[in-house]
Amino acid sequence: DAGVTQSPTHLIKTRGQHVTLRCSPISGHKSVSWYQQVLGQGPQFIFQYYEKEERGRGNFPDRFSARQFPNYSSELNVNALLLGDSALYLCASSLRGVNQPQHFGDGTRLSIL
Amino acid sequence: TQLLEQSPQFLSIQEGENLTVYCNSSSVFSSLQWYRQEPGEGPVLLVTVVTGGEVKKLKRLTFQFGDARKDSSLHITAAQPGDTGLYLCAGAGGYGGSQGNLIFGKGTKLSVKP
């Protein structure tokens, strides 16, 4: 079975632009979570979606938004990009929620110039 | 605010040595997960511990969950170069926090030299 896939793998943007990151969960997984990992740090929780509903939101500004589609894939959108948004954005899927094994994709490396 | 503190932050050892990584918090978690992450890749789950006092073994790796479910440790016996990577602990379902997220520590960067 295919693992969690994320696209694109790398992205370069400039300040003020908008970005959309995409995630396809493992087949059968209904929960998708998004994390931001800054170099040298552990991942920080941004959003969790289960059955297309937001189930959790981390301490991130409203410039960050996400959604989950009927096929359980997900998008993370970030508006008005700042230099500090440069990070590895990770998507994780699980059958139902965070108390179950999380399967991570390899992330999207976002660089803001 | 729930925090998970990992120590040490960096560890550089010779092949064959033993090591222990610690993960501590003032919060109680319903479960704690350990991950290993290599450069350019996402974290890979090693183990989930759920019950206070639980000990799980995965070949040369031994994981322990504290009795009060606030802390955990990872012990590696006879480390090998292939064990090199970033080890992350993550707590789930912490009381007083959102039930929808994992809280990660900053990680322990392990380097095992041949």
Side-chain angles (χ1 to χ4, degrees):
Chain A
D1 281 341
V4 175
T5 56
Q6 291 187 244
S7 64
T9 54
H10 295 84
L11 202 51
I12 299 175
K13 292 282 189 178
T14 57
R15 282 178 294 176
Q17 284 189 311
H18 159 270
V19 69
T20 297
L21 310 181
R22 295 178 175 83
C23 172
S24 292
I26 290 173
S27 177
H29 284 191
K30 298 182 178 181
S31 172
V32 170
S33 298
W34 287 95
Y35 292 84
Q36 181 196 66
Q37 187 175 24
V38 174
L39 201 62
Q41 303 287 317
Q44 271 207 305
F45 171 74
I46 310 175
F47 287 109
Q48 191 228 348
Y49 278 79
Y50 176 67
E51 287 283 16
K52 292 156 283 182
E53 289 188 4
E54 182 182 304
R55 292 299 181 94
R57 186 187 183 108
N59 189 23
F60 280 81
D62 291 343
R63 300 185 295 109
F64 288 77
S65 63
R67 54 180 176 168
Q68 187 177 33
F69 298 100
N71 66 353
Y72 303 109
S73 68
S74 179
E75 281 183 356
L76 175 70
N77 295 283
V78 187
N79 293 323
L81 288 166
L82 303 173
L83 291 177
D85 294 332
S86 294
L88 179 68
Y89 288 85
L90 294 162
C91 171
S93 77
S94 67
L95 283 171
R96 286 195 298 275
V98 294
N99 277 308
Q100 298 186 314
Q102 299 290 303
H103 299 263
F104 282 84
D106 286 339
T108 294
R109 172 69 64 187
L110 177 62
S111 299
I112 310 302
L113 303 180
Chain B
T1 303
Q2 296 172 301
L3 286 174
L4 270 172
E5 294 188 6
Q6 282 189 245
S7 61
Q9 193 175 352
F10 300 96
L11 196 52
S12 181
I13 61 172
Q14 294 294 130
E15 182 177 1
E17 292 184 9
N18 300 332
L19 67 114
T20 302
V21 175
Y22 299 93
C23 178
N24 296 299
S25 175
S26 57
S27 299
V28 176
F29 292 97
S30 60
S31 70
L32 211 139
Q33 303 171 14
W34 282 92
Y35 293 82
R36 180 166 159 261
Q37 185 177 23
E38 297 194 50
E41 298 181 6
V44 175
L45 180 69
L46 297 173
V47 78
T48 300
V49 285
V50 178
T51 307
E54 182 177 5
V55 177
K56 280 193 174 178
K57 291 193 174 183
L58 189 67
K59 297 183 182 178
R60 295 175 293 101
L61 278 60
T62 302
F63 304 86
Q64 187 162 6
F65 201 12
D67 291 340
R69 289 186 289 139
K70 293 182 179 180
D71 53 84
S72 182
S73 64
L74 157 61
H75 182 79
I76 301 179
T77 305
Q80 299 176 0
D83 295 328
T84 294
L86 180 68
Y87 288 82
L88 295 159
C89 65
Y95 295 116
S98 166
Q99 296 293 307
N101 64 296
L102 279 178
I103 296 172
F104 279 86
K106 290 185 177 181
T108 294
K109 194 168 185 179
L110 172 65
S111 174
V112 182
K113 298 177 182 178

